Amino acid sequence: MSDQGLRLLAAALALLPLFGVALALGKIFSDWISSVARNPGAKESVQSVGLLGFALTEAIALFALTVSFIILFVG
C-alpha cells in the first residue's frame, strides 16, 4: 500500500469518533425534549445543562475532524 493510501486510511479511522458523537447528540436532544415536555417549568435549568453537553460533545467531533485534516494535509 502506498504512502497516500495509508494516509487516507488513517484519516478515515480518525473520523470514527463521529459515529459516537452523532449517537450522543441524538441522546442529549431527545432527553432534553422529553424532560422539558414533562416539566416545562424547569426549561431554564435544563437548557443550560443541555447546551453545555451539546458544546462538549461537539468539541469531540471538531477534534476528530482536526486530527483527520492534519493527517491528510501535513507531512
Side-chain angles (χ1 to χ4, degrees), residues 11-21 64:
L13 288 175
L15 292 176
L16 283 178
L18 294 181
F19 292 113
V21 168

Side-chain angles (χ1 to χ4, degrees), residues 16-35:
L16 283 178
L18 294 181
F19 292 113
V21 168
L23 293 174
L25 288 177
K27 178 78 170 137
I28 287 171
F29 284 115
S30 69
D31 288 345
W32 186 359
I33 290 169
S34 66
S35 65

Side-chain angles (χ1 to χ4, degrees), residues 2-60:
S2 67
D3 184 42
Q4 183 66 22
L6 289 174
R7 186 177 290 168
L8 289 173
L9 182 63
L13 288 175
L15 292 176
L16 283 178
L18 294 181
F19 292 113
V21 168
L23 293 174
L25 288 177
K27 178 78 170 137
I28 287 171
F29 284 115
S30 69
D31 288 345
W32 186 359
I33 290 169
S34 66
S35 65
V36 170
R38 288 184 187 143
N39 189 1
K43 180 182 178 186
E44 297 300 322
S45 63
V46 173
Q47 184 174 4
S48 62
V49 173
L51 287 176
L52 179 65
F54 166 75
L56 294 175
T57 306
E58 192 66 28
I60 295 171

